[in-house]
Amino acid sequence: MSRRVVRQSKFRHVFGQAAKADQAYEDIRVSKVTWDSSFCAVNPKFLAIIVEAGGGGAFIVLPLAKTGRVDKNYPLVTGHTAPVLDIDWCPHNDNVIASASDDTTIMVWQIPDYTPMRNITEPIITLEGHSKRVGILSWHPTARNVLLSAGGDNVIIIWNVGTGEVLLSLDDMHPDIIHSVCWNSNGSLLATTCKDKTLRIVDPRKGQVVAERFAAHEGMRPMRAIFTRQGHIFTTGFTRMSQRELGLWDPNNFVEPVALQEMDTSNGVLLPFYDADSSIVYLCGKGDSSIRYFEITDEPPFVHYLNTFGSKEPQRGMGFMPKRGLDVSKCEIARFYKLHERKCEPIIMTVPRKSDLFQDDLYPDTPGPEPALEADEWLSGQDAEPVLISLRDGYVPPKHRELRVTKRNILDARPPSGPRRSQSASDAPLSNMLETLLEQIKALREQVQAQEQRITALENMLCELVDGTD
C-alpha cells in the first residue's frame, strides 16, 4: 500500500483572520463607481480609499492608527472634477499618492503626517495627456518619480512626476481598452491585457511588443496579468463558458500554458495580489466574500492551492499592504484591507509558529523605500533591482519627505546643435533681455521656495500646539 506524499511547504498552513471590530474603519462611503480597480491603496503610514463625493471625485486618507468611526466631516482629497477611478501610493515616498480620474487627468498629492483641518484641494502636479478617462496607475518599482498611466484612449503614458514631463507614450500597441498593466521586478518590462483578448509583454523604452499571446483565456470578460519572481506571467480570466480561470505562462514560450486551472462560475473579475518574497498569489474577486491563495513553485502543477479565507460580507475593493508594513513579531505574511459598503476591515494572513524569534525563512530582505535609479537613468536604458532592506528589527517609516517638482524651463533649454549664425549687434539687446528675465525668474523661484519653507514650519508649529493641547 503506497503512502501519499504531502507536498512540503512552509506556507501550507497560512490562515486568514479578520481584525477585531475596534480595528476596522467605520462610516466610510466607499465609491459605487463601476470600475474594476481595487478602490483602496495602503502603505506603512496611511490607508487611502476612493469615496462617494458630490460634484467631482474624492478619496479619503487615514493614518493607519486612526481606527474606529470616521467623522463625517473628516477632510478628503478633492481636486478631480469627475469620479476617481484608481489610486496608488509612491513606493519611494510614503507621503505621496497619485490619483486617476474620469476627468482625463492624473493628480499627484503630498499627504501631511498631521491631520489636515480642511479638504486637500491642491495637488503637487496635474498630469494632462490622455484624451479619455484614466483608469490605471502604477509607479515604477525602482526608478524615482516614474509613474505609468493607462486610459480609455488605449494609450499608456510614462511620466516623470518630478518634472511633469511625458517620458514615453505607447499609443499604437493596444487597439482596444487596456484592462491591466504590471511592471516586472526591475521595471524593464510591462505585462498588459486588453479587450482584444491579447496578453502582451512590452519593452516600454524600445516601444516594442516583445511577446504576445492571443486568448490566454478564451472568455470575453476582463483578464488580469502580473509578473512572478521567476519571470513567468500569472493571469486570471474567464473560459468561453464564463467560468473563472487562472493561468501561468512562460513569456519565452507562449504556445502552451505552464499551468491552467478552472476555478468557479462567477461574474466578478479576480484581482491578483502577489507577494514575491513568499511567491504566494492572493485572488480577490469583486463581489466575492472570500480570498483564495495559491503558492507558485517550480514543481508540477506549479500553482498549488493553499486555502481560502471566507467571510459573510462581499468585498467592494481591496488594499494590499507592502511587506515592510507587516508585523513580523506575529509572523504576519500579508495584510489586506477589505472594503465593505460603509467600512474597511483589515484581514491578517499568518503562518503559525511556536517561536517568538524573528523567522528568517518567512522574511527575506524585501524592497525598501529607496529608489535604485533616477528617472533619467532608467530612460537612458539602465536597469536595477529594488534596494532591499531587512525586517529583522521591524520597519519604521521615515519622517515626512517632500516631493519637489521642478518643471523644465523652455527658456533654459540648450541651444540646438549645428552651425550657428554669428550674433549681430541687433541680437545683443535681445540676448541681454533673456538673461535678465532668467535671473528674475530664478530669484522669484528662490523667494517662493523660502515662503513654502516658512509655511511648512508654521504648520508644524501649529500641529505641535494642537498635539500639546490634546
Side-chain angles (χ1 to χ4, degrees):
M1 193 172 152
S2 64
R3 237 172 83 218
R4 190 176 167 206
V5 178
V6 177
R7 186 180 71 89
Q8 291 295 310
S9 168
K10 55 180 169 273
F11 301 113
R12 269 182 50 228
H13 301 292
V14 171
F15 70 97
Q17 196 168 19
K20 292 176 182 172
D22 62 350
Q23 295 300 306
Y25 306 81
E26 305 272 356
D27 271 7
I28 297 170
R29 295 170 57 218
V30 177
S31 175
K32 293 186 173 69
V33 174
T34 51
W35 188 255
D36 285 328
S37 74
S38 58
F39 285 10
C40 179
V42 63
N43 70 19
K45 277 187 174 182
F46 299 107
L47 167 68
I49 300 167
I50 302 174
V51 293
E52 286 286 288
F59 58 98
I60 190 168
V61 177
L62 299 167
L64 280 190
K66 194 170 177 61
T67 53
R69 189 174 165 276
V70 177
D71 190 292
K72 67 177 188 299
N73 296 318
Y74 193 90
L76 304 176
V77 182
T78 60
H80 289 287
T81 56
V84 176
L85 301 178
D86 198 12
I87 48 178
D88 196 24
W89 287 105
C90 176
H92 307 126
N93 188 334
D94 287 339
N95 293 77
V96 170
I97 188 170
S99 60
S101 167
D102 218 331
D103 65 9
T104 76
T105 68
I106 300 113
M107 292 182 177
V108 180
W109 308 84
Q110 182 95 37
I111 306 298
D113 283 337
Y114 59 87
T115 302
M117 300 294 184
R118 51 183 178 271
N119 287 354
I120 300 174
T121 57
E122 291 296 321
I124 311 170
I125 193 165
T126 301
L127 306 171
E128 297 176 310
H130 289 281
S131 59
K132 291 186 179 175
R133 61 161 55 176
V134 187
I136 297 171
L137 287 177
S138 183
W139 291 90
H140 193 284
T142 62
R144 189 194 308 273
N145 295 342
V146 175
L147 176 66
L148 176 149
S149 63
D153 49 8
N154 313 336
V155 175
I156 292 174
I157 299 178
I158 298 173
W159 309 83
N160 182 346
V161 173
T163 62
E165 292 177 302
V166 173
L167 295 178
L168 299 162
S169 182
L170 312 175
D171 44 13
D172 295 323
M173 289 185 182
H174 300 88
D176 215 325
I177 292 170
I178 299 162
H179 286 147
S180 74
V181 183
C182 176
W183 296 97
N184 67 348
S185 63
N186 67 1
S188 60
L189 295 173
L190 299 171
T192 72
T193 61
C194 177
K195 197 176 177 182
D196 69 352
K197 293 168 61 170
T198 303
L199 165 64
R200 294 174 174 84
I201 309 301
V202 176
D203 184 328
R205 288 168 297 192
K206 290 181 180 172
Q208 292 176 352
V209 176
V210 295
E212 61 182 3
R213 162 72 198 220
F214 176 69
H217 299 280
E218 294 183 343
M220 287 302 297
R221 290 188 54 72
M223 180 167 52
R224 290 281 187 279
I226 54 171
F227 277 97
T228 71
R229 72 179 183 198
Q230 294 92 347
H232 289 156
I233 311 293
F234 180 88
T235 59
T236 64
F238 293 80
T239 66
R240 198 174 287 156
M241 303 301 290
S242 289
Q243 277 202 300
R244 294 198 290 196
E245 192 174 43
L246 58 83
L248 190 66
W249 306 83
D250 181 354
N252 300 315
N253 180 15
F254 261 150
V255 180
E256 288 294 322
V258 176
L260 200 63
Q261 294 180 22
E262 286 186 10
M263 302 262 292
D264 56 12
T265 305
S266 178
N267 289 329
V269 174
L270 284 167
L271 305 177
F273 296 95
Y274 179 66
D275 173 22
D277 295 343
S278 60
S279 203
I280 295 178
V281 65
Y282 302 84
L283 301 183
C284 309
K286 271 203 158 183
D288 287 11
S289 54
S290 62
I291 301 171
R292 269 168 283 208
Y293 38 107
F294 299 79
E295 186 179 358
I296 300 172
T297 71
D298 297 327
E299 308 163 7
F302 305 107
V303 181
H304 305 269
Y305 171 75
L306 290 174
N307 210 336
T308 299
F309 167 81
S311 58
K312 293 176 184 173
E313 298 287 325
Q315 53 228 19
R316 298 280 294 277
M318 196 68 80
F320 186 51
M321 175 67 81
K323 207 59 173 279
R324 57 197 170 89
L326 303 180
D327 186 347
V328 296
S329 67
K330 294 178 180 169
C331 295
E332 182 183 8
I333 62 160
R335 192 190 310 153
F336 291 90
Y337 287 77
K338 174 182 172 178
L339 300 187
H340 298 246
E341 199 169 333
R342 300 277 304 189
K343 75 170 182 177
C344 175
E345 175 186 44
I347 294 166
I348 294 151
M349 298 287 179
T350 309
V351 176
R353 291 280 169 96
K354 289 178 181 175
S355 170
D356 291 334
L357 299 174
F358 179 75
Q359 307 292 317
D360 299 78
D361 59 329
L362 296 184
Y363 301 106
D365 289 356
T366 195
E370 289 303 318
L373 292 170
E374 297 299 326
D376 293 342
E377 292 173 331
W378 176 78
L379 187 63
S380 68
Q382 291 186 45
D383 289 321
E385 293 300 321
V387 178
L388 304 181
I389 58 169
S390 169
L391 298 179
R392 178 173 288 279
D393 301 317
Y395 172 75
V396 179
K399 287 274 193 284
H400 180 93
R401 291 193 294 180
E402 198 162 333
L403 169 62
R404 293 209 175 275
V405 174
T406 311
K407 293 199 175 180
R408 293 277 159 93
N409 184 353
I410 54 167
L411 292 174
D412 207 14
R414 291 180 182 177
S417 56
R420 292 178 59 186
R421 65 192 180 89
S422 59
Q423 193 180 47
S424 65
S426 61
D427 287 338
L430 181 64
S431 173
N432 292 339
M433 205 165 97
L434 277 174
E435 281 179 16
T436 307
L437 273 171
L438 282 169
E439 283 173 8
Q440 288 176 353
I441 289 167
K442 188 178 174 185
L444 279 169
R445 272 220 183 99
E446 287 171 356
Q447 286 176 26
V448 168
Q449 281 181 353
Q451 292 292 348
E452 282 177 345
Q453 286 169 357
R454 284 188 64 196
I455 290 167
T456 305
L458 288 168
E459 283 177 339
N460 289 337
M461 281 174 65
L462 179 64
C463 292
E464 285 170 8
L465 285 169
V466 170
D467 290 343
T469 55
D470 289 347

